[in-house]
Amino acid sequence: MAPNGWILADFDDTLAPDDSHAGLLRYILRRRLWPLLLWPLIALGGVIYLLPAQRRRGISLIWWVITLGLSPLGWRKLVRGYCRTRPGLYREARTLLVAEGERCWVLSASPRALVRGQLYQQLSTMPHRVIGSRMHYRRGGLMPRFYCHGQHKILPEILAIKPVLALSDSLHDLPLLALGEQAWLINPTPARLQKVQQRLPHIAPKYWQL
């Protein structure tokens, strides 16, 4: 890699195992319970989420139902509590972030507070930038004001830099992976690797562990 090149990294299932975004939603729901009374709305949000053009609306509805009536203090406590349950970073991801953190941009569909909370627990120095979904209150519940997913990760400031490396586990991040001179696909299945290689022949699979 070039000495001063930038690194773009997804977070969930790339730097750390599992989907912490979905995990946080489940964690909040288990501790509040009463939003289960509105399960038809949660299910509707899930159906809408499966429609690519409506993904943001679907996840917004799920977030709103599960956090309806949750105070800002309660939100911060739940994020901190959930971060303490997380298993940490992949070993190879930790090595990368410790060695190259000042060059790393971490981009995630998870709420930015959630990603930063997990990184704070694992690293003494944070990456250069952490960009995630921006949450706000609307009609008594939380929902993403900006949903940092897929193509929406390609912000103007990302287009203004020249990444030497991009890494992700997800087919949704093909636009992100295409920006890197090098591209790594983390822990792919054979079918996923084949699909990505059809679009990005230079992709390199990497198999990381805790």
Side-chain angles (χ1 to χ4, degrees):
M1 283 185 284
N4 297 314
W6 295 104
I7 299 169
L8 307 179
D10 175 46
F11 184 77
D12 290 326
D13 275 321
T14 298
L15 299 179
D18 306 324
D19 184 346
S20 66
H21 190 179
L24 176 60
L25 284 165
R26 291 192 295 267
Y27 181 88
I28 294 172
L29 190 56
R30 285 196 300 268
R31 276 147 186 81
R32 305 194 77 214
L33 288 180
W34 75 262
L36 285 171
L37 296 172
L38 303 175
W39 69 265
L41 289 177
I42 298 174
L44 176 61
V47 172
I48 296 172
Y49 180 82
L50 295 175
L51 304 173
Q54 302 297 322
R55 189 177 297 273
R56 180 180 177 275
R57 291 185 178 180
I59 198 68
S60 293
L61 179 57
I62 293 170
W63 266 106
W64 180 80
V65 174
I66 291 176
T67 62
L68 187 61
L70 181 65
S71 69
L73 178 59
W75 158 246
R76 290 192 292 269
K77 286 182 176 179
L78 286 166
V79 171
R80 287 195 298 268
Y82 177 66
C83 287
R84 289 193 289 268
T85 72
R86 297 287 293 146
L89 302 170
Y90 288 122
R91 287 184 307 219
E92 296 86 349
R94 178 189 294 276
T95 299
L96 177 69
L97 289 171
V98 168
E100 310 289 357
E102 74 280 358
R103 300 199 288 140
C104 290
W105 295 57
V106 177
L107 301 104
S108 178
S110 291
R112 183 172 179 267
L114 173 59
V115 178
R116 289 183 65 86
Q118 293 176 79
L119 290 171
Y120 268 127
Q121 290 192 159
Q122 300 296 321
L123 301 170
S124 57
T125 304
M126 293 291 283
H128 174 74
R129 289 285 301 275
V130 177
I131 299 173
S133 294
R134 295 195 295 269
M135 309 299 290
H136 72 142
Y137 277 92
R138 186 174 180 185
R139 297 177 183 172
L142 274 166
M143 62 177 66
R145 178 167 51 195
F146 165 67
Y147 186 40
C148 189
H149 181 270
Q151 181 66 39
H152 297 290
K153 291 182 179 179
I154 312 304
L155 301 164
E157 55 262 48
I158 295 297
L159 292 174
I161 64 176
K162 294 184 178 180
V164 294
L165 173 64
L167 55 150
S168 176
D169 73 297
S170 176
L171 294 174
H172 295 297
D173 282 336
L174 282 173
L176 186 76
L177 292 168
L179 293 178
E181 293 176 17
Q182 298 180 53
W184 295 350
L185 192 64
I186 307 301
N187 294 340
T189 62
R192 183 177 297 173
L193 178 60
Q194 184 178 27
K195 285 183 180 180
V196 174
Q197 285 177 330
Q198 290 172 359
R199 296 276 298 276
L200 300 173
H202 70 293
I203 196 87
K206 300 288 182 178
Y207 296 93
W208 289 0
Q209 299 178 352
L210 281 172

